[in-house]
Amino acid sequence: MAEATCDIGLIGLAVMGQNLVLNMNDHGFKVCVFNRTTSKVDEFLADEAKGTQIEGAHSLEELCSKLKTPRRVMIMVKAGDVVDKTIESLLPYLEKGDIVIDGGNSLFTDSNRRTKELAEKGLHYIGTGVSGGEEGARFGPSIMPGGDPAAWPAVKPIFQAIAAKVEDGTPCCDWVGEGGAGHYVKMVHNGIEYGDMQLIGEAYQLLKDGLGLTADEFEAVFAEWNKGELDSYLIEISTTIFGKKDDDGQPIIDKILDTAGQKGTGKWTAIDALDNGMPVTLIGESVFARCLSALKDERVVASKVLHGPKQEKIPAEHKAEFIEEVRRALYCSKMVSYAQGYMLLRSAEKVQGWTLNMGGVALMWRGGCIIRSAFLGDIKKAFDKDEKLTNLLLDDFFSGALNKYQASWRKALIHAIELGVPTPAFSTALAFYDGYRTERLPANLLQAQRDFFGAHTYERLDKPRGEFFHTNWTGRGGRVSSTTYNA
Ligand code: 6PG
């Protein structure tokens, strides 16, 4: 048997796996790698890993025999059944106290289950979000680990060494919580990622259709935006995208088919929001916007049948003003989106029994991940001021910015409606903002209607909460009311 000298094993040499291994190696950890198609192990060792201390294994047995105990085995395979199958095949070679880490985009309920199942076998499970794509994995991702807290001390030094660091050197990786908490936070991260990307897309289309900006002009506008409140990775890469030319010298962006793909994490966030009764509307709209974009053929037909307003461009003398309105609309909508994401995290604490460190989550997202931005530093500050903050929009910094910019946000949307440009995320953000700040919503009428047709009862403004009343609206109904359960 080989000598057990490796600090960690990694299974799955796809893009993320390979880059995490190289990153761990850079930080002095000795990694042993395994891939189901074993030729990939040899290719990796001969190529990307050449000259490093990385070792290879051609079977799970060999992999486990090369690991120091307690063994740390990280799985980087496609989320779903493959993870269960991989864990199953590993079991014969693991001993009590060993640690299995799943670093894919797994569904948090699977991670809840796997933590429990492995604990019953005396093994420790960590389900961790890893964000930042190829480059992040290689040079510093954001890492969001959850699972069995007993495993954290053994994994912490590796994860915090390879993670991205914020300006003061703090790693973008800390313990998130038990069971599926890490994957839950990663899921919400991805939902917010969908929201950010949709908002940027809407700003792009509004400026394109409203002003006829060219890709080069977009590059300049986005470069400018990236210097201020919108400073973020997604604005930065969009700037680069606008500047990229195809072989014929034309901007590539203008040649890309407008149908968006998705792997499901945004949808999971929206489903979970519905399950928890949380109005996470912007992520929901962002998922639906991708679905609508995918109906390209139908849209081509509809574009010739259904009329919009007569497309007037924004007058040239208002160009700078309009660009600024759109920037503010994007910033305000982004604040709403993150506030909604944090509302979902708050509700998950109650439903799942987790205690999530909200400022810590902002810090983990501050660097390394796809949604990294200066703005997350402001969110961190808000939770540092008040860790119990119910809603981000109520923090002085955010309410101040919204109060200052809301008029411009509305103007941008009025232009969008007049131009016939679809802005589902901008619009739902404003609808949420107006709903959230409205003391009296029309739900009184809705409750009256429910009571009218189904005797569902209602509460009254002039009576204590929790007392339910029924009115015999027509004089024909009985006196029996329906139960008051709520979904
Ligand atoms: C990350 C990303 C990543 C995600 C891709 C694709 O944090 O690095 O969120 O995990 O899988 O961005 O997501 P979609 O295919 O659903 O857009």
Side-chain angles (χ1 to χ4, degrees):
M1 262 305 148
E3 218 192 316
T5 57
C6 294
D7 298 303
I8 185 164
L10 188 137
I11 301 172
L13 287 176
V15 182
M16 292 298 279
Q18 286 198 11
N19 284 292
L20 282 175
V21 169
L22 294 169
N23 187 351
M24 288 173 187
N25 177 75
D26 283 352
H27 286 87
F29 299 103
K30 191 165 174 192
V31 192
C32 184
V33 299
F34 172 77
N35 193 78
R36 204 170 46 154
T37 309
T38 50
S39 55
K40 210 155 181 187
V41 173
D42 302 324
E43 283 159 27
F44 179 62
L45 292 180
D47 193 356
E48 293 86 351
K50 197 167 176 198
T52 68
Q53 56 167 351
I54 297 166
E55 292 202 7
H58 291 91
S59 68
L60 290 174
E61 183 174 16
E62 188 190 354
L63 176 85
C64 292
S65 74
K66 287 187 167 180
L67 302 180
K68 293 179 196 162
T69 53
R71 293 177 186 83
R72 293 170 282 206
V73 187
M74 184 157 185
I75 304 174
M76 291 300 296
V77 300
K78 193 169 176 283
D81 288 352
V82 191
V83 176
D84 288 311
K85 292 206 175 88
T86 308
I87 294 175
E88 196 63 40
S89 338
L90 261 175
L91 288 177
Y93 314 113
L94 296 179
E95 291 170 312
K96 281 198 186 340
D98 286 349
I99 299 162
V100 177
I101 306 159
D102 169 23
N105 268 332
S106 289
L107 185 59
F108 75 97
T109 46
D110 283 341
S111 300
N112 278 339
R113 169 178 60 77
R114 289 172 188 142
T115 307
K116 227 168 121 227
E117 284 172 1
L118 289 192
E120 281 158 11
K121 295 179 169 44
L123 298 168
H124 304 302
Y125 179 81
I126 286 192
T128 187
V130 180
S131 176
E134 185 176 352
E135 211 175 287
R138 181 68 187 84
F139 300 109
S142 159
I143 310 181
M144 301 153 241
D148 183 343
W152 180 228
V155 173
K156 186 176 171 179
I158 303 181
F159 276 14
Q160 292 198 337
I162 65 165
K165 311 284 182 306
V166 291
E167 295 83 0
D168 69 358
T170 312
C172 296
C173 169
D174 207 349
W175 185 247
V176 176
E178 304 213 359
H183 274 133
Y184 190 88
V185 166
K186 176 62 170 43
M187 176 189 82
V188 176
H189 163 282
N190 279 31
I192 291 177
E193 172 185 306
Y194 274 54
D196 278 354
M197 292 168 81
Q198 177 63 25
L199 288 172
I200 293 172
E202 290 178 18
Y204 162 59
Q205 185 150 23
L206 202 41
L207 294 177
K208 186 153 64 83
D209 294 357
L211 293 170
L213 293 192
T214 63
D216 287 344
E217 286 174 304
F218 272 114
E219 187 186 8
V221 168
F222 272 54
E224 202 49 42
W225 284 4
N226 204 38
K227 291 182 193 150
E229 289 158 332
L230 293 177
D231 174 354
S232 61
Y233 172 71
L234 284 168
I235 293 283
E236 182 192 320
I237 64 165
S238 305
T239 312
T240 309
I241 290 168
F242 288 126
K244 188 83 181 164
K245 303 285 188 287
D246 207 352
D247 295 341
D248 60 2
Q250 296 306 307
I252 297 189
I253 185 69
D254 295 336
K255 299 186 176 184
I256 297 177
L257 185 73
D258 50 323
T259 62
Q262 50 183 316
K263 296 205 186 73
T265 41
K267 183 178 81 179
W268 292 346
T269 317
I271 291 173
D272 190 68
L274 286 170
D275 283 344
N276 291 320
M278 280 295 121
V280 185
T281 59
L282 196 142
I283 295 175
E285 285 293 354
S286 305
V287 176
F288 286 132
R290 289 197 189 193
C291 302
L292 182 61
S293 80
L295 303 176
K296 174 76 180 179
D297 294 345
E298 279 185 52
R299 289 191 288 113
V300 171
V301 174
S303 71
K304 300 192 173 56
V305 178
L306 303 172
H307 297 176
K310 196 169 162 297
Q311 285 242 345
E312 296 288 351
K313 292 264 183 281
I314 304 286
E317 65 267 30
H318 294 144
K319 182 172 171 180
E321 190 186 334
F322 183 55
I323 292 174
E324 177 59 8
E325 281 163 7
V326 173
R327 189 191 71 83
R328 291 181 179 191
L330 174 43
Y331 187 51
C332 291
S333 305
K334 189 172 162 113
M335 285 188 246
V336 167
S337 179
Y338 282 66
Q340 292 182 343
Y342 271 91
M343 286 166 74
L344 190 57
L345 292 178
R346 280 268 185 250
S347 84
E349 286 191 302
K350 292 195 195 105
V351 176
Q352 301 288 334
W354 297 324
T355 305
L356 301 174
N357 169 358
M358 299 298 169
V361 170
L363 189 68
M364 273 181 262
W365 293 347
R366 173 75 187 81
C369 64
I370 305 295
I371 63 170
R372 64 183 180 262
S373 63
F375 175 77
L376 276 156
D378 298 321
I379 296 181
K380 169 84 171 67
K381 278 187 212 144
F383 284 112
D384 283 349
K385 260 191 279 166
D386 176 9
E387 65 178 36
K388 297 256 176 301
L389 184 66
T390 15
N391 196 300
L392 266 184
L393 303 185
L394 301 179
D395 171 75
D396 288 351
F397 176 84
F398 292 97
S399 60
L402 287 160
N403 289 337
K404 187 168 153 209
Y405 286 165
Q406 53 103 17
S408 307
W409 185 8
R410 292 178 199 282
K411 277 195 204 150
L413 276 167
I414 290 168
H415 286 307
I417 292 166
E418 284 173 353
L419 291 160
V421 175
T423 50
F426 279 2
S427 308
T428 198
L430 184 59
F432 177 89
Y433 175 76
D434 283 334
Y436 192 66
R437 60 171 200 86
T438 295
E439 193 180 333
R440 187 149 165 81
L441 285 170
N444 52 335
L445 175 58
L446 191 146
Q447 285 296 81
Q449 290 164 338
R450 292 177 70 235
D451 191 54
F452 186 114
F453 61 68
H456 292 293
T457 74
Y458 53 87
E459 292 169 276
R460 294 178 59 101
L461 285 169
D462 54 3
K463 297 283 181 198
R465 292 295 307 264
E467 270 187 51
F468 291 88
F469 298 87
H470 169 58
T471 293
N472 187 346
W473 296 93
T474 59
R476 293 190 299 275
R479 279 177 306 147
V480 184
S481 59
S482 133
T483 55
T484 56
Y485 81 89
N486 282 308

